């Protein structure tokens, strides 16, 4: 099969593809007939979507097995469209036919129980077995540039299909159009970098290094955001997702009325439920319907998305998400005092609590694009708690009036935390700012490995470099919303391998309060420090490397071990040990026999440090 042709055809007719996708078990079987879908999609498009679905459902299958299943279901669809039009099996929902195709395969360990179930439980069973954890499937092995180009020249037509297969099975929840889109970038990269492979002046490695982010970045970022949203939905439920989307949509589309915003919130929440279950057909169709609604109602939603709606379907979602917030209506009052001062506030709160709170969040969020979504959720929670308390008293007016002071206090505290962090970042720079984070998070979460602590604090440092340079009205949304992604990753790590009870509390109690909760954590008092074994601190001549990045990494690993050995270490003690280490390194790196110097001086440094820490 010429997969390059298939992918380009898909991009040209992607709007038709998504419109033709079935509505799964919510539709009638007649609407879901495979012949109808095959006729709408045409053979190549149908086969490409089947390829992604099979690779995502049965991740352990080989490329050949997935292609075989995709061709089998495509051949069945062709027969249903032609000679077997009246076959009752052709009237089954497309989802069911896909699963039947899988269950007819031999050698599918782990799926026997699922295949024994009836629909829709069978589909739910398959979805529950999707595994996106790292290590479940071995990571991509990156070949050298010359080998990659040789492979491309020999398998030019099948390579994009193999790429789709490999990405799909490693990212079973990733939105199918994202996979198709990066496959185009992949093919373009291979074609561009390999066309001059025989030119001695052409730097293949540099070409791949420059263009690879176009391929890797959408997979990593889209996958992370999708996993993050699904984590929130799973842990905190649909109400929290709806509240989060209500805030985000109200900020982006402040001119849209409450009915329009709540419709979008409901539709997007339903889409995430389907996407997070791994129901890709349903997920794609949901997203297309939302895009269609937004783009056909631009006049009442936003003046900033016209160019986005003119783009091809695959590019439309990303464009709208990244579009700047619309201007606030000219007649929008600066405050929402009616939610505090109105006489009938407690009656409305009692009769329609969720609607009243949603309207408050809508009105407050559309007025404050300079606040982060998480901060607005905390404000909403504070307002709910205030009404819960005040409406039980005999004089709610006096009680509610203090809410404004509490609100100002929370805004000030949040802005102060972000400003202080940015001041430290600007003063210390990337490396030393990350070390400050390592000191803090190793004490809070000493159960994490050195690699995990370095990874998470590196991500936080990147947020500092990205957000601290922005103006004040952009700082909070950038900093807290990106930090929320990192904290979400930490919490998902906790779910798979528990860290400690304090982290568990922060990850489980409240989504909106997760960042302040993590910020207030201190030393894990229940942690048993590392013992001072001979291999805990080792010093060798590789500390004399001139590659600064490698040296910094080694020093950070030592810093983590030092904190895990002595969690109560003070800043003064740490500074003294750091100065002594630096002096030893400088001394040994000047010696002719560096290794011998480290063998001698290293244990001496450990003894002096141990004595200092015991004082």
């Amino acid at each position: 099969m010429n997969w390059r042709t298939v992918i380009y055809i898909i991009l040209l007719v992607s709007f038709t593809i998504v419109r033709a996708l079935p509505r799964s078990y919510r539709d009638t079987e007649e609407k879901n007939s495979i012949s109808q879908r095959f006729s709408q999609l045409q053979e190549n498009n149908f086969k490409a979507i089947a390829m992604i679905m099979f690779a995502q459902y049965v991740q352990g299958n080989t490329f050949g097995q997935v292609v075989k299943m995709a061709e089998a279901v495509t051949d069945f669809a062709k027969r249903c469209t032609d000679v077997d039009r009246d076959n009752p099996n052709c009237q089954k929902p497309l989802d069911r036919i896909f699963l039947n195709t899988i269950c007819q395969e031999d050698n599918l360990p782990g799926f026997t129980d699922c295949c024994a179930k009836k629909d829709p439980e069978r589909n739910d069973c398959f979805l529950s077995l999707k595994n996106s954890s790292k290590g479940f499937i071995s990571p991509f092995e990156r070949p050298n540039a010359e080998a990659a180009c040789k492979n491309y020249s020999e398998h030019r037509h099948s390579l994009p299909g193999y790429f789709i297969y490999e990405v799909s099975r490693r990212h079973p929840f990733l939105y199918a159009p994202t996979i198709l889109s990066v496959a185009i970038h992949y093919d373009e990269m291979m074609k561009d970098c390999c066309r001059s492979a025989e030119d001695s002046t052409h730097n293949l490695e540099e070409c791949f290094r420059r263009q690879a982010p176009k391929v890797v970045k959408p997979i990593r970022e889209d996958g992370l955001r999708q996993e993050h949203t699904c984590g929130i939905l799973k842990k905190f439920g649909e109400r929290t997702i709806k509240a989060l989307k209500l805030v985000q949509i109200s900020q982006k589309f402040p001119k849209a009325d409450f009915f329009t915003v709540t419709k979008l919130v409901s539709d997007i929440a339903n889409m995430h439920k389907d996407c997070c279950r791994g129901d890709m057909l349903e997920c794609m169709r949901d997203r297309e319907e939302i895009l269609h609604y937004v783009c056909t109602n631009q006049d009442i939603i936003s003046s900033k998305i016209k160019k986005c709606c003119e783009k091809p379907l695959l590019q439309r979602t990303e464009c709208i998400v990244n579009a700047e917030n619309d201007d606030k209506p000219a007649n929008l009052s600066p405050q929402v005092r009616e939610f505090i001062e109105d006489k009938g506030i407690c009656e409305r709160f009692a009769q329609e609590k969720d609607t009243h709170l949603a309207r408050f969040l809508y009105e407050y969020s559309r007025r404050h694009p300079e606040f982060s979504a998480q901060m607005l959720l905390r404000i909403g929670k504070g307002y709910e708690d205030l009404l819960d308390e005040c409406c039980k008293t005999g004089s709610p007016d006096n009680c509610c009036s203090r809410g404004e002071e509490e609100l100002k206090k929370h805004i000030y505290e949040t802005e102060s935390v972000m400003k202080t962090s940015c001041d430290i970042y600007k003063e210390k720079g990337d490396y030393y700012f990350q070390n400050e984070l390592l000191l803090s998070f190793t004490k809070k979460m000493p159960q994490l490995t050195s690699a995990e602590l370095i990874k998470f604090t590196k991500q936080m440092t990147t947020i500092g470099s990205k957000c601290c340079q922005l103006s004040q009205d952009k700082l909070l949304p950038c900093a807290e919303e990106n930090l929320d992604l990192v904290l979400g990753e930490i919490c998902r790590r906790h779910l798979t391998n528990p860290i400690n009870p304090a982290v568990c509390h922060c990850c489980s109690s409240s989504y909106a309060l997760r960042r302040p909760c993590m910020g207030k954590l201190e030393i894990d008092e229940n942690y048993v420090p590392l013992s001072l074994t001979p291999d805990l601190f080792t010093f060798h001549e590789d500390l004399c490397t001139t590659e600064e990045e490698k040296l910094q990494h080694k020093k950070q690993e030592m810093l983590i071990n030092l904190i895990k050995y002595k969690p109560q270490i003070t800043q003064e003690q740490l500074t003294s040990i750091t100065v002594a280490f630096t002096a030893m390194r400088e001394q040994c790196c000047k010696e002719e026999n560096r290794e011998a110097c480290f063998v001698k001086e290293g244990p001496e440094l450990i003894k002096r440090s141990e004595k200092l820490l015991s004082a």
Side-chain angles (χ1 to χ4, degrees), residues 419-429 432-433 436:
K419 182 180 183 304
T420 301
S421 295
C422 281
D423 287 346
I424 295 171
Y425 173 78
K426 290 174 183 176
E427 176 192 345
K428 293 182 176 292
Y432 290 105
F433 180 74
E436 292 286 332

Side-chain angles (χ1 to χ4, degrees), residues 247-293:
V247 167
Q248 292 170 336
I249 294 168
S250 301
Q251 286 184 305
K252 185 166 283 291
F253 305 141
K255 291 177 183 174
D257 60 35
F258 182 65
F259 172 80
T260 302
V261 170
T262 52
K263 174 192 165 30
L264 283 172
V265 166
S266 180
D267 290 347
I268 290 171
N270 286 331
M271 177 194 75
H272 283 306
K273 284 162 68 177
D274 288 329
C275 297
C276 294
R277 288 180 68 242
D279 226 329
M280 286 301 111
L281 290 173
E282 199 78 356
C283 174
M284 289 174 68
R285 180 65 182 258
D286 289 341
R287 191 174 298 222
E288 187 277 328
E289 288 183 346
I290 292 167
L291 289 172
H292 179 71
Y293 177 80

Side-chain angles (χ1 to χ4, degrees), residues 337-376:
R337 305 197 67 84
E338 66 270 21
F339 286 92
I340 293 293
E341 297 175 351
D342 276 12
K343 297 297 182 183
I345 188 172
C346 287
E347 185 179 346
R348 284 196 299 277
F349 182 63
Q351 291 177 351
E352 44 185 35
K353 178 178 178 178
D354 282 353
T355 302
H356 180 74
L357 293 174
R359 191 173 285 277
F360 169 79
L361 262 186
Y362 160 74
E363 293 292 356
Y364 203 89
S365 300
R366 66 202 288 246
R367 286 166 169 79
H368 292 285
E370 75 278 12
F371 292 164
S372 66
Q374 292 72 26
M375 179 178 172
L376 287 163

Side-chain angles (χ1 to χ4, degrees), residues 114-129:
C114 292
C115 289
K117 296 180 184 293
K118 293 183 178 180
D119 293 308
E121 287 78 15
R122 180 174 63 161
N123 190 47
D124 293 337
C125 181
F126 270 92
L127 295 175
S128 72
L129 294 176

Side-chain angles (χ1 to χ4, degrees), residues 476-534:
L476 265 180
C478 177
E480 188 159 18
E481 290 176 23
N482 279 286
L483 183 57
D484 185 55
L485 291 174
V486 182
L487 297 182
E489 198 172 348
I490 291 173
C491 288
R492 289 193 300 278
R493 155 63 170 85
H494 170 76
L495 281 176
T496 57
N497 187 6
I499 299 172
N500 61 50
V503 172
C504 180
H505 170 72
C506 291
C507 289
S508 306
S509 57
S510 166
Y511 167 69
L513 296 174
R514 187 160 66 182
R515 197 273 306 157
C517 183
M518 292 281 197
K520 291 174 183 176
L521 291 184
E522 296 182 353
I523 295 174
D524 180 7
E525 299 292 350
N526 296 319
Y527 174 70
V528 178
L530 295 179
S531 300
L532 187 57
T533 57

